[in-house]
Amino acid sequence: DAGITQSPRYKITETGRQVTLMCHQTWSHSYMFWYRQDLGHGLRLIYYSAAADITDKGEVPDGYVVSRSKTENFPLTLESATRSQTSVYFCASSDLEGGTGDGTQYFGPGTRLLVL
Amino acid sequence: AQSVTQLGSHVSVSEGALVLLRCNYSSSVPPYLFWYVQYPNQGLQLLLKYTSAATLVKGINGFEAEFKKSETSFHLTKPSAHMSDAAEYFCAVTSDRDTDKLIFGTGTRLQVFP
């Protein structure tokens, strides 16, 4: 019944540190997405994945790395965090291969990241 | 390329008044259109969607939206605002180049005054 979860919900880190944000979905959706939300910019796509072992860049991929070894997990790693990466990060999933196939995305609760 | 414009980053209404949040898209191909709502410190929740069936779409919490191809619009309305409607609302459209992705507007923050 969990749907899509993100961890941690809040994270404070320092410039230069590596940080990994986790995303897990229980629906077996084929597609998963990572967005960042910043004031004045709305939601911007960082990376997305069409299936396990298939990932692609979105609008703002620089400084981020993703992997998808299992359908249900889609971790986002900031290899060397910078202050400009302070943001709220949202994970989403979509059942484009089945269901209604209309691109509806279902969002996690978000991770608030502060880089000092 | 597909784009979405939400007119008005902030909208304020009195409780009981009509809510109208505007969304215009740019596309030569009728897309799928969505409205999402985000309450404070939460993720986005699907409010309603247009997928080429009825042009008037009803969603949760009394909201509805009408797809008007001639105006390339998908405005969100609610006849009578409630205090609990205060949130940020995002319009989104499927990308015409990559239909597996959504293009989001920058959002409209709705305030409801008693």
Side-chain angles (χ1 to χ4, degrees):
Chain A
D1 184 56
I4 184 164
T5 57
Q6 293 182 237
S7 62
R9 293 294 313 278
Y10 303 90
K11 177 73 177 179
I12 300 174
T13 191
E14 294 177 337
T15 302
R17 290 192 180 265
Q18 183 179 82
V19 177
T20 295
L21 310 184
M22 304 301 294
C23 179
H24 175 79
Q25 53 110 351
T26 60
W27 295 307
S28 298
H29 284 172
S30 55
Y31 278 77
M32 295 187 75
F33 306 83
W34 273 107
Y35 294 90
R36 58 178 291 172
Q37 183 179 31
D38 304 287
L39 206 59
H41 291 279
L43 284 158
R44 292 183 290 177
L45 182 65
I46 304 171
Y47 268 96
Y48 70 106
S49 168
D53 297 323
I54 300 175
T55 62
D56 209 346
K57 295 179 180 179
E59 182 185 354
V60 289
D62 293 344
Y64 303 95
V65 174
V66 294
S67 62
R68 192 155 176 221
S69 57
K70 292 183 178 181
T71 299
E72 61 267 29
N73 296 324
F74 191 39
L76 175 74
T77 298
L78 289 66
E79 293 190 299
S80 178
T82 65
R83 289 195 181 89
S84 65
Q85 292 178 310
T86 291
S87 186
V88 182
Y89 291 86
F90 288 101
C91 179
S93 71
S94 181
D95 188 20
L96 275 155
E97 298 299 323
T100 59
D102 59 17
T104 301
Q105 293 186 15
Y106 300 90
F107 284 79
T111 294
R112 288 183 177 274
L113 176 67
L114 174 62
V115 183
L116 299 174
Chain B
Q2 185 69 277
S3 67
V4 178
T5 303
Q6 290 186 241
L7 287 174
S9 59
H10 290 82
V11 170
S12 298
V13 300
S14 299
E15 192 172 21
L18 172 72
V19 176
L20 171 60
L21 304 182
R22 299 178 187 274
C23 174
N24 288 88
Y25 65 94
S26 64
S27 174
S28 58
V29 177
Y32 293 153
L33 292 151
F34 305 80
W35 274 101
Y36 283 86
V37 59
Q38 184 182 29
Y39 298 104
N41 298 318
Q42 294 186 26
L44 278 70
Q45 179 183 352
L46 181 67
L47 202 54
L48 51 80
K49 60 183 176 182
Y50 166 76
T51 58
S52 72
T55 56
L56 182 62
V57 181
K58 294 187 185 298
I60 61 172
N61 301 336
F63 283 93
E64 62 182 36
E66 186 173 7
F67 172 69
K68 290 187 177 180
K69 183 179 176 182
S70 61
E71 298 177 7
T72 60
S73 69
F74 191 56
H75 302 331
L76 182 70
T77 61
K78 182 174 180 177
S80 177
H82 192 270
M83 297 294 289
S84 61
D85 294 327
E88 186 139 24
Y89 293 79
F90 291 93
C91 181
V93 60
T94 45
S95 170
D96 51 9
R97 287 195 304 173
D98 301 304
T99 55
D100 50 0
K101 294 201 287 289
L102 292 180
I103 308 298
F104 284 87
T106 52
T108 297
R109 183 165 297 278
L110 176 67
Q111 286 185 303
V112 182
F113 293 101

